[in-house]
Amino acid sequence: MATSANYAQECYRNSTYFQDCPTFVRKKLPWTSRDDIGCPFLGRDKICRSNSTNLRLESYIDSNFDLGINSPSGDRFSYRSVLECAPLKTEGYSEHAIEYTRQNTSSRDVQKYYYGTLGPRPMTYQYNSGPATELLYLHGSSFTMNSEYTIRAVIAYASPNGSYEGLFIPIPDVQSPMADVSLVFLSANDIMFSEPTDDSCCTPLAGSDAVAELVENLWTKEQKTFISWFKTAIHHNHPSLNSIIENLGRSSLTSRYKLQGGRQGPLPTNQWQLEVQYWFSTMLANLQMLMIDTATGPADANLTPWLRRPQNREEHRACRSQKIRSDSFTSFSTLGLAILLGVGGLIIAVSLSLEFLVDWIQRRRKIGTYRRLEWQSNAVLQLQRLAHEELGFGTWSRTADDHPITAPGEHLASLDISDPNHPKLAARAAKSEATSQEGSSGNSTGETIGQGAPKPGMNHMVTVVNSSSVTTDSGSPTIDGQASQAPTQSVVNEPLRHHHHPTW
């Protein structure tokens, strides 16, 4: 019960994230709240303090989506829980009395409340009202103050015929047709409040026994066997409001969070409604845990001797149908994954083929040539090709494609790091020139070189015309006034140029 209360405190708040409460299929079961309903008891205005500001909490739960019972639609069930609360009047239903001990040596003041019989006693609850203990404390008494709340609860179970069963039988004024009735008595004892507060107790309404019998006619025999497993678990193990209060005692009160040293901090006017909402959340949290314990068995090994195990195929199927969140497994949508992979793969395929498709269309239709070549020329490999080719390196092909290549075995430019702050590609070495100067006489006339006689040391035949004037007479060429029968070549005193082919 304490585990359920802690879970309700942590996980049923709106500010809690789902990852903080990862155990159940749903972080919290859905429920609604209204604080404007009339008196839920037959006594109406006679018994209720208000007929328009009472509380109604309602939860409509699906066995598959909310409780995690994985079953076909025909085997599913819905569980509805309604709790109505209203502060009750005490005038006319209580009396002050003095009780004496058996030896008549002492007495005490008590307040008795009559909302129904409790076993053989005609009264429902008795509180020791006594003298104010805080006054005794202020006058120097060593009496220890009762600085905690006292809370008690009784319950009457409604039968299908409208009567009530159990130890507590309520009076007609606090009965409600087809609903269990719980009465909660809260006493502040010697707690001193820092501010005045208007708050009181309340009464919840529900009808568990009647529901357990009515559901017998809703399903077929096979479905009834399957669902009866959960019906039995809920009916016999799901806590009522009074069981939560009896088990948790004063720990079930959220007002204690502002209580310290017998002094109660400020409380809102609807504190009783907040207390009931917390109890209702604890009931729902316990229902979630009950489904898990039904499938796995109780966590407390001391309860094993009282464990009822599945007896037939349908009950075994019920135990195997429980869903729970676990870090050991991951659920995913196959359809969603297929759509993700399909659409993602299509996008990737279009992205990879779009450039090639546009390039093919531009080439085929001969459109956008400049833009296409500029786009390709700005690619990394083409920029490298432009740099090397500009320096005279490589015999390039595929220069308009994405991957330009050179002829096999060719070397590209190396890096020139003569200036470490300005590295660049090294240019091809400049063509060297070797100049060979033939011997000259130094006079104004040059030597005559016979036709076809190359100058020693030259790689190629070079014809050099004499700088002297050449005249012709009678159509015959003459040199220095002499006729020549054959053309001759003359070399003047000018240097010969030697052509050299560098080797790389």
Side-chain angles (χ1 to χ4, degrees), residues 9 147-149 191-195 197 250 253-271 274-275:
Q9 182 68 22
S147 57
E148 273 287 1
Y149 289 100
I191 295 176
M192 293 180 290
F193 289 78
S194 60
E195 294 181 2
T197 180
R250 60 176 64 98
L253 299 173
T254 59
S255 57
R256 294 183 67 252
Y257 299 146
K258 297 181 180 180
L259 176 65
Q260 184 176 10
R263 296 182 180 274
Q264 178 67 61
L267 297 175
T269 57
N270 66 334
Q271 180 63 36
L274 299 179
E275 301 289 0

Side-chain angles (χ1 to χ4, degrees), residues 397-427:
S397 60
R398 300 183 185 177
T399 54
D401 296 335
D402 292 333
H403 305 90
I405 59 176
T406 63
E410 289 191 331
H411 297 280
L412 299 180
S414 58
L415 191 64
D416 181 3
I417 58 172
S418 57
D419 184 359
N421 296 323
H422 190 182
K424 57 185 178 180
L425 294 177

Side-chain angles (χ1 to χ4, degrees), residues 1-187:
M1 192 67 67
T3 304
S4 301
N6 292 335
Y7 186 90
Q9 182 68 22
E10 293 295 330
C11 302
Y12 273 70
R13 297 178 301 175
N14 294 329
S15 59
T16 306
Y17 295 101
F18 185 83
Q19 55 267 25
D20 298 331
C21 309
T23 304
F24 305 116
V25 173
R26 298 195 65 167
K27 184 188 77 171
K28 59 181 181 179
L29 297 179
W31 59 281
T32 59
S33 175
R34 290 183 55 188
D35 57 2
D36 57 352
I37 68 169
C39 181
F41 302 108
L42 295 179
R44 304 301 178 190
D45 296 345
K46 181 181 177 182
I47 190 68
C48 291
R49 293 189 177 183
S50 171
N51 200 31
S52 60
T53 60
N54 300 307
L55 183 65
R56 178 186 177 94
L57 304 176
E58 184 173 0
S59 179
Y60 196 82
I61 301 170
D62 182 85
S63 62
N64 178 56
F65 298 107
D66 297 322
L67 298 181
I69 302 174
N70 188 20
S71 59
S73 57
D75 294 343
R76 298 176 185 177
F77 63 91
S78 298
Y79 179 76
R80 184 185 180 197
S81 178
V82 179
L83 187 148
E84 294 180 343
C85 290
L88 301 182
K89 295 179 180 179
T90 58
E91 297 82 0
Y93 300 94
S94 64
E95 68 173 358
H96 177 266
I98 299 177
E99 287 189 348
Y100 294 91
T101 62
R102 291 182 179 180
Q103 292 79 16
N104 292 327
T105 57
S106 62
S107 63
R108 61 179 180 179
D109 292 343
V110 296
Q111 194 75 17
K112 298 181 179 181
Y113 298 88
Y114 298 91
Y115 295 104
T117 60
L118 189 64
R121 301 196 307 176
M123 63 182 178
T124 309
Y125 179 68
Q126 175 177 300
Y127 175 69
N128 298 329
S129 55
T133 55
E134 64 268 20
L135 296 180
L136 297 177
Y137 177 78
L138 292 175
H139 285 286
S141 173
S142 60
F143 185 84
T144 302
M145 292 176 57
N146 187 0
S147 57
E148 273 287 1
Y149 289 100
T150 299
I151 185 170
R152 294 289 185 269
V154 294
I155 186 171
Y157 297 98
S159 62
N161 59 13
S163 62
Y164 286 90
E165 301 174 352
L167 187 64
F168 169 60
I169 305 298
I171 61 176
D173 286 351
V174 292
Q175 292 181 6
S176 183
M178 298 299 295
D180 298 342
V181 176
S182 292
L183 267 65
V184 180
F185 298 90
L186 178 64
S187 303

